[in-house]
Amino acid sequence: MATDPMVAELTELRTKLEIAERRNKELDEQLAERDEQIAGLLADADSDFDERVVPR
């Protein structure tokens, strides 16, 4: 039957899509973590800079 190779290909493509979606979610989570880290570093740097420029 001609449908068997099509079903096999569809199954393979669905599997690849699921893998890509999982990887995308992982990368999105990593990006969110890095954004938080960078925001913290920038806040610390800004705080340090303010203290040096305007001593209290």
Side-chain angles (χ1 to χ4, degrees):
M1 262 206 222
T3 58
D4 287 341
M6 292 171 67
V7 170
E9 184 178 3
L10 178 59
T11 301
E12 180 183 350
L13 291 172
R14 282 183 177 160
T15 301
K16 288 181 178 182
L17 178 60
E18 289 172 5
I19 292 168
E21 287 174 338
R22 255 193 323 261
R23 182 67 179 139
N24 190 36
K25 183 179 177 187
E26 291 170 359
L27 290 172
D28 189 47
E29 290 169 356
Q30 286 179 0
L31 181 59
E33 289 173 11
R34 299 280 162 77
D35 281 348
E36 287 180 26
Q37 291 172 349
I38 290 171
L41 291 171
L42 289 173
D44 289 345
D46 189 42
S47 161
D48 290 344
F49 180 77
D50 289 344
E51 289 173 8
R52 288 185 202 153
V53 173
V54 183
R56 293 181 179 156

